[in-house]
Amino acid sequence: MKLETAIREREGAAFVPYIMAGDGGIERLIPTIVELEQMGATAIELGIPFSDPVADGPIIEAAGMRALEAGVTLEMVLNHLIEGNNRFTVPIVLMTYLNPVFRFGVQPFFERANECGVSGVIIPDLPFEESLQLFSNVDRQEVAVIPLVTLTSSEARTASILEKAEGFVYAVTLKGTTGKTDVFPDELLTHLTRLTEQSRVPVLAGFGVHRPEQVRTLGNVCDGVVVGSFIVEALHEGRTGDVETLIRSAKQIHA
């Protein structure tokens, strides 16, 4: 199923859990994806471990270091997805920094990602405007490049991004790196409402979300949420019940 279709046709608000590929061993990758799909995940954001993760907070950075120490690479992750993608139907969005894509080769990366059934890619250290130039002569086939919009993005830049956005718009909820927070900026709900009204594609809010009431609050003003640090930490600690509870909270709105 295409990414945008899956989000549009969800029950309640969309819920996209983030996991770090290879955290806990690469052999856990496919079983974890299957488990999250069974819990009701709308799509899954799959992080590629990288040694300089500038957008990641301490929880996700630590997970990336564990995966790197286990020898996990972008190519290893893509190979596992190819071998296991007949076991799940939930859309996969890769979150990777630009360096691993360059080392792999830009065109080969998109070809392999498409072969894996990957629906989208997020590259947080590549500005969306530059991605349009970098990928202008690349055949991305069915792989969407997901743009990020922040609270500090200008109106003009936001409008430009929304005009060309595909898959979904990742609305960053904090002025900083990933992590868990109990207090979002005062202007956030107004910001998300405006983005959702203006966007042709779904808008998902991410960074900081870790409680059911936050999922419901944000999911009431946009199309859903992306949750990373809480999911990574809970899975690392074996708290799958907490993960399922949070995913289910997204289905309690927009009914």
Side-chain angles (χ1 to χ4, degrees):
M1 180 184 295
K2 286 187 177 181
L3 179 60
E4 184 177 345
T5 301
I7 297 172
R8 294 290 191 198
E9 296 181 354
R10 86 277 179 177
E11 176 187 354
F15 191 104
V16 179
Y18 168 102
I19 60 174
M20 176 61 69
D23 186 18
I26 193 66
E27 69 278 358
R28 285 293 308 154
L29 176 58
I30 302 303
T32 300
I33 292 173
V34 171
E35 186 175 26
L36 290 170
E37 180 177 34
Q38 291 172 346
M39 291 180 185
T42 308
I44 294 174
E45 183 182 351
L46 183 59
I48 302 300
F50 182 55
S51 58
D52 188 21
V54 294
D56 295 332
I59 293 173
I60 292 178
E61 183 176 0
M65 292 303 106
R66 291 192 295 267
L68 286 174
E69 288 170 2
V72 176
T73 64
L74 172 59
E75 183 170 14
M76 183 185 297
V77 173
L78 293 174
N79 288 342
H80 268 73
L81 287 176
I82 289 174
E83 294 171 4
N85 65 8
N86 62 333
R87 295 173 55 187
F88 58 86
T89 60
V90 64
I92 299 295
V93 177
L94 294 182
M95 201 294 281
T96 179
Y97 291 91
L98 186 56
N99 183 273
V101 175
F102 265 131
R103 290 187 63 186
F104 195 92
V106 174
Q107 184 64 64
F109 166 76
F110 280 104
E111 290 173 357
R112 185 73 66 84
N114 189 71
E115 183 182 358
C116 296
V118 168
S119 297
V121 60
I122 299 169
I123 307 177
D125 59 341
L126 177 65
F128 187 67
E129 298 87 344
E130 294 183 21
S131 75
L132 297 177
Q133 299 176 13
L134 180 63
F135 303 145
S136 61
N137 295 317
V138 175
D139 181 8
R140 295 187 287 107
Q141 300 183 62
E142 298 296 319
V143 182
V145 176
I146 309 299
L148 286 84
V149 174
T150 71
L151 288 160
T152 58
S153 298
S154 68
E155 290 188 11
R157 184 169 188 268
T158 297
S160 176
I161 291 173
L162 294 180
E163 180 183 357
K164 298 178 175 65
E166 53 191 26
F168 67 86
V169 171
Y170 194 131
V172 179
T173 59
L174 299 176
K175 299 174 183 178
T177 58
T178 60
K180 297 182 290 184
T181 188
D182 292 322
V183 181
F184 288 109
D186 293 338
E187 68 270 28
L188 177 60
L189 296 185
T190 300
H191 171 71
L192 292 175
T193 299
R194 184 169 62 250
L195 279 180
T196 304
E197 290 173 347
Q198 296 174 347
S199 180
R200 298 177 298 102
V201 298
V203 174
L204 302 185
F207 282 38
V209 182
H210 67 107
R211 299 203 313 258
E213 57 267 33
Q214 294 173 325
V215 172
R216 291 189 288 266
T217 296
L218 298 177
N220 269 314
V221 296
C222 65
D223 294 285
V225 298
V226 180
V227 180
S229 295
F230 174 87
I231 300 292
V232 169
E233 183 177 64
L235 291 177
H236 180 61
E237 296 175 353
R239 295 185 286 112
T240 55
D242 291 345
V243 173
E244 187 168 12
T245 295
L246 199 65
I247 293 176
R248 285 181 175 177
S249 70
K251 301 183 183 300
Q252 297 168 0
I253 58 178
H254 289 202

